[in-house]
Amino acid sequence: MAKRAKPGLLSWIGRSASALVIAALLMDAAVQLFVPGLASGMLREVGFAPAIAPVLGTIMAICALLYAIPATAFLGAILVTGFLGGAICAHVRLGEIGSSPELLSLLLGLLAWGGLYLRDRRFRSLLPIHQ
């Protein structure tokens, strides 16, 4: 049986960044699914009906789970990026450029791809960054 290589520092940084993304998405999904009243004001502010909270929560949870599973992490990262891009777009539409939710969505997107890049050698081989 072949020995698995120990994860290096970059891999641990990537896993930590990915864990932050997963935790943030799952916490937001939990609010949308289990405490939709808490999210209703925020949804109204960006022009969405509060009744859509369970749908958004389900989508976030699915994206987070796909991103967390190594075999589907790439697909999960694509879906997370799409979801966060929609959140950013909602704030841009309202003229809230540079708002906290918009910047947080941007940061989570960067962490999702950065975390995947650092934790997965296969992805690094697809997108080599040389100095």
Side-chain angles (χ1 to χ4, degrees):
M1 205 183 293
K3 283 180 127 181
R4 291 183 80 187
K6 281 183 151 180
L9 179 62
L10 290 180
S11 180
W12 283 109
I13 293 170
R15 289 177 185 185
S16 299
S18 295
L20 284 173
V21 172
I22 294 163
L25 289 173
L26 289 177
M27 284 189 286
D28 198 6
V31 168
Q32 302 286 340
L33 289 168
F34 303 115
V35 195
L38 187 63
S40 66
M42 188 172 52
L43 288 171
R44 271 193 213 99
E45 283 178 22
V46 292
F48 294 109
I52 200 167
V55 174
L56 293 175
T58 302
I59 291 169
M60 279 188 263
I62 290 169
C63 289
L65 293 174
L66 286 171
Y67 181 68
I69 299 168
T72 59
F74 188 75
L75 173 62
I78 292 170
L79 295 175
V80 165
T81 304
F83 187 83
L84 295 172
I88 291 170
C89 184
H91 290 280
V92 168
R93 181 180 59 85
L94 296 172
E96 298 177 352
I97 298 173
S99 66
S100 297
E102 188 179 51
L103 294 175
L104 181 60
S105 295
L106 181 61
L107 177 64
L108 285 175
L110 291 171
L111 283 174
W113 284 103
L116 184 60
Y117 184 84
L118 293 174
R119 73 181 165 127
D120 193 331
R121 286 179 191 230
R122 296 171 301 164
F123 188 63
R124 285 195 302 267
S125 68
L126 290 174
L127 185 66
I129 296 176
H130 299 285
Q131 295 181 14

